[in-house]
Amino acid sequence: FATVLAVGGGLLFCNLNDLKGKNLLLIVFLLISFNFQVFYWPMKALPSRKVLERTRIGLNLYRSLEQPVFAPCNSYFPILANKNVSAFWGAMFDMWLTPGAEGALSKEELLRSFKERRFKSVVLPDKFFMQEHFPYQILNKYYQKIELTSFMTSEDAMKSKLSIYVPLTGG
């Protein structure tokens, strides 16, 4: 919207002498509207206390986990917690949708990683983008979901909205 006002207003400003009546009033109104966008409250862009609290809880959780950690939906958390780098779910899913060998190889590699139990923990949010396409069948075959209360208070566990999977022992 701001771009349209800027370009359109700039072009029309050059022709103000040719405009009369309502058209001139409309152009002046558009130019004034464009300038109102500078009146914003930057504090609204900062995260809420609730979000900051959930971030603190999540970061503390990641710090307590042994690496390698697979956190595809919050791949920046392991890095912030001084752990390993983790693949990002959105990019992985996009690759899987792309025709060709690369997407298939990427999916095979993730499934092989689960089968070989390469990760000490897999951390997933309770809800995430295209969750129905995540390979839970293979994950649940080689990993078990554990209670977050072994890492944090039950109140923090509820706030975190995360699930942790650890490798199954044996077979």
PDB file of all heavy atoms in Angstrom, residues 64-79:
ATOM      1  N   SER A  64      19.540 -27.881  28.196  1.00  0.00           N
ATOM      2  CA  SER A  64      19.625 -29.070  29.036  1.00  0.00           C
ATOM      3  C   SER A  64      19.721 -30.363  28.224  1.00  0.00           C
ATOM      4  O   SER A  64      19.993 -31.416  28.787  1.00  0.00           O
ATOM      5  CB  SER A  64      18.422 -29.134  29.977  1.00  0.00           C
ATOM      6  OG  SER A  64      17.237 -29.373  29.254  1.00  0.00           O
ATOM      7  N   LEU A  65      19.509 -30.291  26.916  1.00  0.00           N
ATOM      8  CA  LEU A  65      19.520 -31.484  26.079  1.00  0.00           C
ATOM      9  C   LEU A  65      20.925 -31.817  25.609  1.00  0.00           C
ATOM     10  O   LEU A  65      21.744 -30.931  25.374  1.00  0.00           O
ATOM     11  CB  LEU A  65      18.609 -31.300  24.865  1.00  0.00           C
ATOM     12  CG  LEU A  65      17.133 -31.084  25.151  1.00  0.00           C
ATOM     13  CD1 LEU A  65      16.393 -30.770  23.857  1.00  0.00           C
ATOM     14  CD2 LEU A  65      16.528 -32.293  25.840  1.00  0.00           C
ATOM     15  N   GLU A  66      21.163 -33.114  25.461  1.00  0.00           N
ATOM     16  CA  GLU A  66      22.431 -33.583  24.918  1.00  0.00           C
ATOM     17  C   GLU A  66      22.348 -33.502  23.393  1.00  0.00           C
ATOM     18  O   GLU A  66      21.299 -33.763  22.807  1.00  0.00           O
ATOM     19  CB  GLU A  66      22.638 -35.030  25.376  1.00  0.00           C
ATOM     20  CG  GLU A  66      24.018 -35.547  25.130  1.00  0.00           C
ATOM     21  CD  GLU A  66      24.183 -36.964  25.673  1.00  0.00           C
ATOM     22  OE1 GLU A  66      23.420 -37.372  26.566  1.00  0.00           O
ATOM     23  OE2 GLU A  66      25.092 -37.663  25.184  1.00  0.00           O
ATOM     24  N   GLN A  67      23.436 -33.144  22.753  1.00  0.00           N
ATOM     25  CA  GLN A  67      23.414 -33.053  21.300  1.00  0.00           C
ATOM     26  C   GLN A  67      23.873 -34.362  20.671  1.00  0.00           C
ATOM     27  O   GLN A  67      24.531 -35.138  21.347  1.00  0.00           O
ATOM     28  CB  GLN A  67      24.228 -31.865  20.809  1.00  0.00           C
ATOM     29  CG  GLN A  67      25.638 -31.767  21.254  1.00  0.00           C
ATOM     30  CD  GLN A  67      26.273 -30.467  20.753  1.00  0.00           C
ATOM     31  OE1 GLN A  67      25.793 -29.767  19.894  1.00  0.00           O
ATOM     32  NE2 GLN A  67      27.397 -30.150  21.309  1.00  0.00           N
ATOM     33  N   PRO A  68      23.510 -34.594  19.448  1.00  0.00           N
ATOM     34  CA  PRO A  68      22.814 -33.730  18.507  1.00  0.00           C
ATOM     35  C   PRO A  68      21.300 -33.672  18.765  1.00  0.00           C
ATOM     36  O   PRO A  68      20.678 -34.657  19.115  1.00  0.00           O
ATOM     37  CB  PRO A  68      23.100 -34.346  17.151  1.00  0.00           C
ATOM     38  CG  PRO A  68      23.381 -35.777  17.419  1.00  0.00           C
ATOM     39  CD  PRO A  68      23.948 -35.853  18.810  1.00  0.00           C
ATOM     40  N   VAL A  69      20.783 -32.480  18.572  1.00  0.00           N
ATOM     41  CA  VAL A  69      19.360 -32.199  18.742  1.00  0.00           C
ATOM     42  C   VAL A  69      18.778 -31.932  17.358  1.00  0.00           C
ATOM     43  O   VAL A  69      19.355 -31.184  16.586  1.00  0.00           O
ATOM     44  CB  VAL A  69      19.154 -30.959  19.643  1.00  0.00           C
ATOM     45  CG1 VAL A  69      17.689 -30.606  19.745  1.00  0.00           C
ATOM     46  CG2 VAL A  69      19.757 -31.173  21.007  1.00  0.00           C
ATOM     47  N   PHE A  70      17.650 -32.545  17.069  1.00  0.00           N
ATOM     48  CA  PHE A  70      16.951 -32.264  15.818  1.00  0.00           C
ATOM     49  C   PHE A  70      15.723 -31.431  16.164  1.00  0.00           C
ATOM     50  O   PHE A  70      14.819 -31.904  16.855  1.00  0.00           O
ATOM     51  CB  PHE A  70      16.552 -33.562  15.116  1.00  0.00           C
ATOM     52  CG  PHE A  70      15.867 -33.358  13.799  1.00  0.00           C
ATOM     53  CD1 PHE A  70      16.476 -32.649  12.778  1.00  0.00           C
ATOM     54  CD2 PHE A  70      14.611 -33.896  13.571  1.00  0.00           C
ATOM     55  CE1 PHE A  70      15.839 -32.466  11.554  1.00  0.00           C
ATOM     56  CE2 PHE A  70      13.967 -33.727  12.356  1.00  0.00           C
ATOM     57  CZ  PHE A  70      14.584 -33.012  11.341  1.00  0.00           C
ATOM     58  N   ALA A  71      15.721 -30.189  15.741  1.00  0.00           N
ATOM     59  CA  ALA A  71      14.627 -29.264  16.032  1.00  0.00           C
ATOM     60  C   ALA A  71      14.208 -28.577  14.736  1.00  0.00           C
ATOM     61  O   ALA A  71      14.523 -27.411  14.507  1.00  0.00           O
ATOM     62  CB  ALA A  71      15.079 -28.247  17.067  1.00  0.00           C
ATOM     63  N   PRO A  72      13.497 -29.285  13.867  1.00  0.00           N
ATOM     64  CA  PRO A  72      13.222 -28.745  12.536  1.00  0.00           C
ATOM     65  C   PRO A  72      12.312 -27.525  12.508  1.00  0.00           C
ATOM     66  O   PRO A  72      12.375 -26.754  11.562  1.00  0.00           O
ATOM     67  CB  PRO A  72      12.572 -29.924  11.811  1.00  0.00           C
ATOM     68  CG  PRO A  72      11.971 -30.748  12.894  1.00  0.00           C
ATOM     69  CD  PRO A  72      12.888 -30.591  14.076  1.00  0.00           C
ATOM     70  N   CYS A  73      11.497 -27.339  13.518  1.00  0.00           N
ATOM     71  CA  CYS A  73      10.572 -26.202  13.490  1.00  0.00           C
ATOM     72  C   CYS A  73      11.130 -24.980  14.206  1.00  0.00           C
ATOM     73  O   CYS A  73      10.642 -23.867  14.005  1.00  0.00           O
ATOM     74  CB  CYS A  73       9.235 -26.604  14.106  1.00  0.00           C
ATOM     75  SG  CYS A  73       8.454 -27.923  13.180  1.00  0.00           S
ATOM     76  N   ASN A  74      12.093 -25.179  15.047  1.00  0.00           N
ATOM     77  CA  ASN A  74      12.756 -24.078  15.757  1.00  0.00           C
ATOM     78  C   ASN A  74      14.263 -24.255  15.615  1.00  0.00           C
ATOM     79  O   ASN A  74      14.982 -24.347  16.598  1.00  0.00           O
ATOM     80  CB  ASN A  74      12.364 -24.073  17.242  1.00  0.00           C
ATOM     81  CG  ASN A  74      10.893 -23.854  17.442  1.00  0.00           C
ATOM     82  OD1 ASN A  74      10.304 -22.986  16.818  1.00  0.00           O
ATOM     83  ND2 ASN A  74      10.284 -24.638  18.298  1.00  0.00           N
ATOM     84  N   SER A  75      14.729 -24.315  14.389  1.00  0.00           N
ATOM     85  CA  SER A  75      16.122 -24.671  14.132  1.00  0.00           C
ATOM     86  C   SER A  75      17.119 -23.656  14.682  1.00  0.00           C
ATOM     87  O   SER A  75      18.296 -23.967  14.821  1.00  0.00           O
ATOM     88  CB  SER A  75      16.340 -24.866  12.637  1.00  0.00           C
ATOM     89  OG  SER A  75      15.947 -23.718  11.920  1.00  0.00           O
ATOM     90  N   TYR A  76      16.674 -22.489  15.041  1.00  0.00           N
ATOM     91  CA  TYR A  76      17.564 -21.486  15.615  1.00  0.00           C
ATOM     92  C   TYR A  76      17.807 -21.735  17.105  1.00  0.00           C
ATOM     93  O   TYR A  76      18.805 -21.292  17.656  1.00  0.00           O
ATOM     94  CB  TYR A  76      16.983 -20.076  15.414  1.00  0.00           C
ATOM     95  CG  TYR A  76      15.544 -19.965  15.847  1.00  0.00           C
ATOM     96  CD1 TYR A  76      15.209 -19.615  17.136  1.00  0.00           C
ATOM     97  CD2 TYR A  76      14.513 -20.261  14.954  1.00  0.00           C
ATOM     98  CE1 TYR A  76      13.888 -19.542  17.539  1.00  0.00           C
ATOM     99  CE2 TYR A  76      13.188 -20.194  15.356  1.00  0.00           C
ATOM    100  CZ  TYR A  76      12.882 -19.834  16.647  1.00  0.00           C
ATOM    101  OH  TYR A  76      11.578 -19.774  17.050  1.00  0.00           O
ATOM    102  N   PHE A  77      16.909 -22.448  17.783  1.00  0.00           N
ATOM    103  CA  PHE A  77      17.067 -22.691  19.218  1.00  0.00           C
ATOM    104  C   PHE A  77      18.320 -23.497  19.551  1.00  0.00           C
ATOM    105  O   PHE A  77      19.045 -23.135  20.476  1.00  0.00           O
ATOM    106  CB  PHE A  77      15.834 -23.374  19.810  1.00  0.00           C
ATOM    107  CG  PHE A  77      14.834 -22.412  20.382  1.00  0.00           C
ATOM    108  CD1 PHE A  77      13.548 -22.373  19.892  1.00  0.00           C
ATOM    109  CD2 PHE A  77      15.173 -21.549  21.412  1.00  0.00           C
ATOM    110  CE1 PHE A  77      12.614 -21.493  20.414  1.00  0.00           C
ATOM    111  CE2 PHE A  77      14.247 -20.665  21.939  1.00  0.00           C
ATOM    112  CZ  PHE A  77      12.967 -20.635  21.439  1.00  0.00           C
ATOM    113  N   PRO A  78      18.607 -24.601  18.858  1.00  0.00           N
ATOM    114  CA  PRO A  78      19.846 -25.306  19.186  1.00  0.00           C
ATOM    115  C   PRO A  78      21.091 -24.440  19.013  1.00  0.00           C
ATOM    116  O   PRO A  78      22.037 -24.539  19.794  1.00  0.00           O
ATOM    117  CB  PRO A  78      19.857 -26.487  18.212  1.00  0.00           C
ATOM    118  CG  PRO A  78      18.443 -26.692  17.843  1.00  0.00           C
ATOM    119  CD  PRO A  78      17.817 -25.327  17.874  1.00  0.00           C
ATOM    120  N   ILE A  79      21.078 -23.585  18.023  1.00  0.00           N
ATOM    121  CA  ILE A  79      22.222 -22.695  17.809  1.00  0.00           C
ATOM    122  C   ILE A  79      22.348 -21.717  18.977  1.00  0.00           C
ATOM    123  O   ILE A  79      23.438 -21.506  19.516  1.00  0.00           O
ATOM    124  CB  ILE A  79      22.084 -21.932  16.471  1.00  0.00           C
ATOM    125  CG1 ILE A  79      22.091 -22.916  15.307  1.00  0.00           C
ATOM    126  CG2 ILE A  79      23.193 -20.896  16.324  1.00  0.00           C
ATOM    127  CD1 ILE A  79      21.669 -22.319  13.985  1.00  0.00           C
TER     128      ILE A  79
END
